Amino acid sequence: MRLCVAFASLLACWAACIAPCKSSTEAPGTPACEASGYCSLGRTKAYTGDIHGGRALRDASEARSFKKEIVLMCSSAGYLLAIKQATMNLERLGMEHVMVLGFTEKDCEVLSKELPSYGCVWDHFMLPMVGKDIYRVAKAVPLWHNRWRTMARQARLGYNVLSIDTDVVFYHDPYRFFKAPPFKKYVIINQPETLYSSSDYHHVNAANGGIIYVQNASPTGPAAWLLAEVSDRILRFLDDNFKELLKHNIRTSCDYMDQDCLNDVIHSVQAGNIIFHRPFTKCTLGGTRAEQEQKRKQWSQ
């Protein structure tokens, strides 16, 4: 039952805080963050280092957070312009509590130099890119995988985490919405996978992995479990060398993409039980729909 509550939270629409506006309610010269109280500009410490270990993650999160809030962005040195634009966008709103997650230590050498007040962290764990269908998988997947690992770990440490892609632009302070009704009651807030029309929000049932906010999550609750499972599920397949997938004639690339895995895990949240829905509905290489449905039921028992 608690898992179902978390799923309802996940699909809450929060488009208002990223929608452009013609005018602002803030007085001229007043930072947008004043209304919510999350003005962090100049109130955080830079941190650069490998956060694979628990102590390092705790130290990095303490340095980069403000009032237990962290904005998590991931980047490589090749996307320097994007990460600089994204951090400048939040600075314009009065916020600087961003943790920059780099692809590798070498990427962080560049990023931390260009963003000295932020620094840059990395996790030396690198998701293996293997399997006969790996050509279907984006090369950035290991970085995105570590983003979800980091979110899960920070949520269990009691932090509220806003994970955003670097192509997101905010026109308002998002905390004005997150901390006010109706959104303050939700643990996970996520943008639906729709591109053009807000009217699609009423019927689109897929989640977008590029914008997600987690607040007040219990370390042992369904929200923390969801975050951890998004990064853990592909490891289940990798650890047995894809034998279970291949036995059911499923592509080895299935659930490699973090957004694909998120949408797969949501079905477990709905059901209140661990199931593997997406492999049998989106990744099969053959068989009738009825045969695949039967296999899905057997595998998920």
Side-chain angles (χ1 to χ4, degrees):
M1 185 65 180
R2 294 176 65 197
L3 289 174
C4 294
V5 172
F7 175 69
S9 306
L10 186 73
L11 293 185
C13 170
W14 63 292
C17 61
I18 60 172
C21 61
K22 295 183 178 179
S23 61
S24 174
T25 58
E26 287 84 20
T30 302
C33 58
E34 287 289 347
S36 68
Y38 287 93
C39 295
S40 60
L41 196 61
R43 300 182 183 182
T44 60
K45 297 179 181 179
Y47 188 97
T48 297
D50 186 347
I51 58 170
H52 187 78
R55 180 175 180 177
L57 178 69
R58 292 192 298 273
D59 290 346
S61 299
E62 176 66 23
R64 296 308 308 145
S65 64
F66 181 73
K67 294 184 178 181
K68 302 298 285 188
E69 299 284 341
I70 297 176
V71 179
L72 184 63
M73 298 184 190
C74 58
S75 182
S76 65
Y79 287 86
L80 179 60
L81 180 59
I83 189 71
K84 291 185 75 171
Q85 280 194 178
T87 53
M88 289 173 64
N89 171 224
L90 289 177
E91 287 176 8
R92 181 180 61 84
L93 300 176
M95 294 177 288
E96 195 179 34
H97 54 283
V98 176
M99 177 178 283
V100 178
L101 177 64
F103 208 143
T104 65
E105 181 178 359
K106 289 185 177 181
D107 285 298
C108 272
E109 290 175 0
V110 175
L111 294 171
S112 60
K113 182 179 180 180
E114 295 293 331
L115 300 167
S117 63
Y118 295 85
C120 178
V121 301
W122 69 93
D123 187 331
H124 71 250
F125 174 82
M126 193 65 65
L127 181 71
M129 297 285 278
V130 296
K132 64 180 182 179
D133 303 310
I134 197 63
Y135 67 92
R136 295 174 174 266
V137 181
K139 293 182 179 179
V141 159
L143 174 60
W144 299 336
H145 178 86
N146 281 346
R147 170 173 59 181
W148 287 88
R149 282 165 52 90
T150 303
M151 274 195 291
R153 297 171 69 198
Q154 289 177 327
R156 288 196 294 259
L157 288 174
Y159 288 95
N160 300 331
V161 186
L162 171 59
S163 174
I164 58 174
D165 285 346
T166 55
D167 58 358
V168 173
V169 177
F170 289 95
Y171 292 85
H172 300 272
D173 170 8
Y175 294 104
R176 287 176 53 191
F177 300 88
F178 293 154
K179 305 303 182 183
F183 298 109
K184 69 176 184 178
K185 68 179 180 180
Y186 292 110
V187 178
I188 299 182
I189 305 173
N190 184 218
Q191 178 184 332
E193 178 69 355
T194 182
L195 297 177
Y196 303 112
S197 174
S198 60
S199 63
D200 292 340
Y201 290 173
H202 300 292
H203 61 83
V204 172
N205 59 4
N208 181 285
I211 308 175
I212 186 167
Y213 180 60
V214 185
Q215 62 181 343
N216 306 320
S218 167
T220 58
W225 177 87
L226 182 147
L227 297 176
E229 181 67 10
V230 170
S231 62
D232 186 63
R233 184 157 294 198
I234 184 60
L235 297 178
R236 297 170 185 250
F237 303 150
L238 282 164
D239 288 346
D240 80 339
N241 199 28
F242 304 106
K243 290 180 181 177
E244 198 66 35
L245 292 182
L246 294 172
K247 183 173 72 175
H248 295 282
N249 206 25
I250 295 172
R251 290 197 307 269
T252 58
S253 59
C254 191
D255 280 354
Y256 245 108
M257 291 286 290
D258 61 320
Q259 182 168 301
D260 292 342
C261 198
L262 171 62
N263 281 284
D264 192 20
V265 172
I266 285 175
H267 290 284
S268 295
V269 175
Q270 284 181 292
N273 187 37
I274 297 177
I275 61 173
F276 299 85
H277 179 271
R278 191 175 181 279
F280 289 96
T281 57
K282 302 291 185 180
C283 304
T284 58
L285 294 171
T288 66
R289 181 181 295 272
E291 289 172 341
Q292 293 300 336
E293 178 64 16
Q294 182 63 27
K295 287 182 179 181
R296 183 192 65 78
K297 290 180 179 179
Q298 292 173 350
W299 202 28
S300 299
Q301 288 178 351

